[in-house]
Amino acid sequence: DAGVIQSPRHEVTEMGQEVTLRCKPISGHDYLFWYRQTMMRGLELLIYFNNNVPIDDSGMPEDRFSAKMPNASFSTLKIQPSEPRDSAVYFCASTPTGGQPQHFGDGTRLSIL
Amino acid sequence: AQSVSQHNHHVILSEAASLELGCNYSYGGTVNLFWYVQYPGQHLQLLLKYFSGDPLVKGIKGFEAEFIKSKFSFNLRKPSVQWSDTAEYFCAVNPLGRNTGKLIFGQGTTLQVKP
């Protein structure tokens, strides 16, 4: 099993640019989660999907953030326009059913200059 | 609102010392409980989980946790820590009654083990 795959691992870009983070969940997992981790705010749930449908996006900080899951094997988190305060590690996780342990990807370390 | 509280933000221990990290949650229904560990620069990994049955659960690397329903607690323990246990530890709760896959994470506890 390849695990949850995220790309890119690192992203450095200038303020105002569009950033797209990608995630491939474990095959057969029906739930997909996007988290953001910073020193100041810890681990925050941004949005999660069940069977490709967004269930709870209450953690998305503002309209600059959007997430999609066009099929069961791919999801994107987009920030447009990006700001320095968006700098963080973004994790994707998946789980086969509700209540089961979540499997995390290696994360994308995002730096906005 | 449901929440998970980890009592200690930063713990410093010497090798071979015993560890106990506190975790309390606020939800009156049935829950699944988890402890995750995040080693420096890595992603979160599952340490152990509790779904039902024996309230004392054993996980990887000698860790265990005890679920005390009356106290809404799920404390993590290890009899003798090693330098390699230096990491951040997260308690998480899935409130089953809400029919959601979402985990509610505590704020994390940073453990530093001195060699």
Side-chain angles (χ1 to χ4, degrees):
Chain A
D1 196 333
V4 176
I5 299 172
Q6 292 187 246
S7 64
R9 290 294 308 277
H10 302 273
E11 174 95 9
V12 180
T13 192
E14 291 186 345
M15 181 175 66
Q17 297 296 308
E18 178 179 290
V19 173
T20 300
L21 311 181
R22 297 173 176 80
C23 175
K24 177 179 169 55
I26 293 172
S27 177
H29 283 197
D30 290 340
Y31 286 84
L32 183 140
F33 305 82
W34 282 102
Y35 292 91
R36 178 173 68 177
Q37 186 177 38
T38 61
M39 289 290 290
M40 290 296 294
R41 301 175 67 94
L43 189 66
E44 304 172 276
L45 175 65
L46 300 177
I47 185 172
Y48 79 96
F49 296 82
N50 180 21
N51 292 321
N52 313 337
V53 176
I55 302 300
D56 183 353
D57 65 354
S58 60
M60 297 285 264
E62 42 196 283
D63 292 343
R64 298 185 296 107
F65 286 70
S66 62
K68 294 182 180 179
M69 192 164 185
N71 57 62
S73 59
F74 183 66
S75 177
T76 59
L77 177 67
K78 191 171 291 188
I79 308 172
Q80 167 63 21
S82 59
E83 297 183 3
R85 59 195 169 113
D86 302 329
S87 298
V89 181
Y90 291 80
F91 288 103
C92 177
S94 69
T95 189
T97 60
Q100 294 297 316
Q102 293 182 12
H103 300 256
F104 284 76
D106 287 335
T108 295
R109 185 171 297 274
L110 177 64
S111 297
I112 308 296
L113 306 177
Chain B
Q2 299 138 14
S3 65
V4 176
S5 176
Q6 293 183 234
H7 309 153
N8 316 96
H9 294 291
H10 198 160
V11 174
I12 302 174
L13 295 173
S14 298
E15 275 194 314
S18 64
L19 170 72
E20 180 159 4
L21 301 183
C23 172
N24 285 91
Y25 62 93
S26 62
Y27 180 70
T30 303
V31 293
N32 285 349
L33 298 158
F34 307 87
W35 274 98
Y36 282 83
V37 61
Q38 185 178 27
Y39 298 104
Q42 297 188 25
H43 61 274
L44 277 75
Q45 305 171 42
L46 183 69
L47 259 185
L48 47 78
K49 62 181 186 250
Y50 173 79
F51 288 174
S52 64
D54 188 343
L56 185 62
V57 293
K58 295 191 182 299
I60 60 172
K61 303 186 180 184
F63 286 90
E64 65 180 31
E66 184 175 14
F67 171 50
I68 303 179
K69 188 174 182 179
S70 61
K71 296 185 178 180
F72 300 92
S73 72
F74 190 55
N75 292 355
L76 180 72
R77 299 195 291 249
K78 185 171 183 178
S80 176
V81 295
Q82 300 172 324
W83 176 78
S84 58
D85 293 324
T86 294
E88 190 159 12
Y89 293 81
F90 293 90
C91 180
V93 172
N94 173 251
L96 293 177
R98 300 298 293 271
N99 193 29
T100 171
K102 187 166 77 172
L103 289 183
I104 301 168
F105 281 89
Q107 66 269 45
T109 296
T110 301
L111 171 65
Q112 182 182 352
V113 180
K114 294 183 175 179

